[in-house]
Amino acid sequence: MINVTRSSMPSFEEYCEEIRPLWESRWLTNMGVKHKELEGMLCDYLKTPHVALYTNGHLALENVIAAMNLPQGGEVITTPFTFVSTTHSIVRNGLVPVFCDVDPKTYTMDVEKMESLITHKTVAIVPVHVYGNLCDVEAIEAVAKKHNLKVIYDAAHAFGVRYKGVSAANFGDASMFSFHATKVYNTIEGGAVCFKDDTLVQLLNDLKNFGIRGREEVGYVGGNAKMSEFQAAMGICNLRHLDGEIAKRKAVVERYRQRFAGVEGIILCDEQDGVESNYAYFPVVFDGFKRDRNEIYELLQEYSIVARKYFYPLTNDIDCYRDLPTAGADKTPVAKHIADRVLTLPLYADLSLEDVDRICDIILN
Ligand SMILES: *Cc1c(COP(=O)(O)O)cnc(C)c1O
């Protein structure tokens, strides 16, 4: 069986060595030594001034949106071609998602359409770096400045991606990364918010710890979203090996690209100018191919190969949002076109090139 992904892990011995001190300190969570060490390592790796760690990416995104103090009922422009977490984070903060269509090449927010959706109620923009494809960060920044809007990136897919040498952590007011087991870089479950504004440091730290500011002071209505020492220890180990893991992913992606190059009806994402990829996903759009997406999905399954309809369905077309006045997949035709035809193929560091060839042979023949 070949699964769509497989978590990167350090050796058993390396992880045990990393958690050994916890048996002496008996300090298992609440911003301990490993937590501090990982925050420092991530500031260095991502070349960003502030990193706030979380127990998962979703709560990181919910918390950073809350930290922006946006007026309840305000409209937030986002895209439906994403994981439900993005849309949930907006709605769970009492804000209204307004779904913008995506660019047909990168599947990220179409900035021209985005500007046309801005009204007097718009308070923020939450774009997504889909598959690690970077949004048009410069255009988004220009529009956001003009209209005085906050920009919070869902960068769950973009850990390690750089644009003109600058890490994806440095765009907008803040960026959320997910360190879930299925992502390029994992802390088992985990996530982070990266940002530049010094005044957010205390607020984000408080929000993830019940709003507790001091021994006898509770400043905010916060939840609990702290990363534990065991998660942080996994992150410390995995970060040591990340560049090697990304290089191995690159070899897999290059093989897929070679095999599918020029095949009619198979559309791949172009490499983006100035972007260093993290090779997080390998999306293929079947558009005019001899079999459609669902047939290929079933066919692979017959060979115990798991591909993923990612992202399908669109978040403006799921039960909990379908009835919103702003929802409806017909309003985002490009996103719908892609969601109906896309499949992400198996991709992980240790996927052998022989297995890649086998997957390609099944699809092509
Ligand atoms: C994984 C993911 C999330 C949520 O992150 P978790 O760490 O799983 O909570 C949010 N947005 C996108 C686009 C994701 O892929």
Side-chain angles (χ1 to χ4, degrees), residues 56-58 82-83 85-86 128 154 156-157 176 178 180 183 190 310:
N56 60 54
H58 175 79
T82 186
F83 185 51
S85 168
T86 320
V128 186
D154 181 334
H157 290 187
M176 177 279 287
S178 164
H180 184 255
K183 303 299 206 275
Y310 194 62

Side-chain angles (χ1 to χ4, degrees), residues 160-298:
V161 174
R162 292 182 196 88
Y163 176 56
K164 295 179 181 170
V166 178
S167 103
N170 289 308
F171 302 110
D173 292 280
S175 296
M176 177 279 287
F177 293 95
S178 164
F179 305 152
H180 184 255
T182 56
K183 303 299 206 275
V184 166
Y185 167 70
N186 84 78
T187 61
I188 310 170
E189 291 263 8
V193 175
C194 298
F195 54 99
K196 295 184 196 125
D197 179 0
D198 298 337
T199 65
L200 279 178
V201 175
Q202 183 74 47
L203 179 56
L204 285 173
N205 281 333
D206 295 347
L207 284 174
K208 71 178 171 199
N209 189 26
F210 307 101
I212 295 172
R213 304 205 61 178
R215 276 188 198 281
E216 297 179 2
E217 193 190 341
V218 182
Y220 317 97
V221 185
N224 178 7
K226 304 183 299 286
M227 178 181 278
S228 78
E229 291 291 276
F230 290 80
Q231 292 169 286
M234 187 63 125
I236 290 168
C237 295
N238 277 337
L239 197 57
R240 291 185 190 123
H241 306 289
L242 182 65
D243 289 343
E245 295 288 284
I246 290 177
K248 290 203 234 164
R249 285 173 169 273
K250 180 177 184 197
V252 171
V253 166
E254 282 175 351
R255 184 63 146 249
Y256 271 131
R257 283 187 177 282
Q258 276 169 13
R259 295 294 314 271
F260 289 136
V263 175
E264 199 180 321
I266 288 192
I267 295 155
L268 310 178
C269 284
D270 292 334
E271 289 178 52
Q272 294 177 283
D273 282 345
V275 174
E276 275 170 76
S277 177
N278 61 357
Y279 306 95
Y281 298 89
F282 193 73
V284 176
V285 170
F286 296 94
D287 193 1
F289 190 60
K290 52 196 170 188
R291 305 254 199 127
D292 70 22
R293 186 271 306 271
N294 291 347
E295 288 168 337
I296 299 284
Y297 176 82
E298 303 283 334

Side-chain angles (χ1 to χ4, degrees), residues 46-62:
L46 295 170
K47 304 226 168 8
T48 189
H50 301 296
V51 171
L53 295 177
Y54 282 85
T55 193
N56 60 54
H58 175 79
L59 287 173
L61 187 56
E62 259 193 46

Side-chain angles (χ1 to χ4, degrees), residues 290-344:
K290 52 196 170 188
R291 305 254 199 127
D292 70 22
R293 186 271 306 271
N294 291 347
E295 288 168 337
I296 299 284
Y297 176 82
E298 303 283 334
L299 177 70
L300 290 171
Q301 213 148 45
E302 283 169 30
Y303 290 89
S304 301
I305 295 164
V306 184
R308 194 170 168 201
K309 296 179 195 177
Y310 194 62
F311 298 106
Y312 174 87
L314 296 173
T315 70
N316 59 359
D317 197 27
I318 54 178
D319 292 342
C320 56
Y321 299 129
R322 196 179 292 129
D323 296 333
L324 279 180
T326 56
D330 52 326
K331 294 197 183 92
T332 55
V334 177
K336 177 160 173 51
H337 185 90
I338 303 301
D340 285 342
R341 289 165 181 79
V342 73
L343 212 51
T344 57

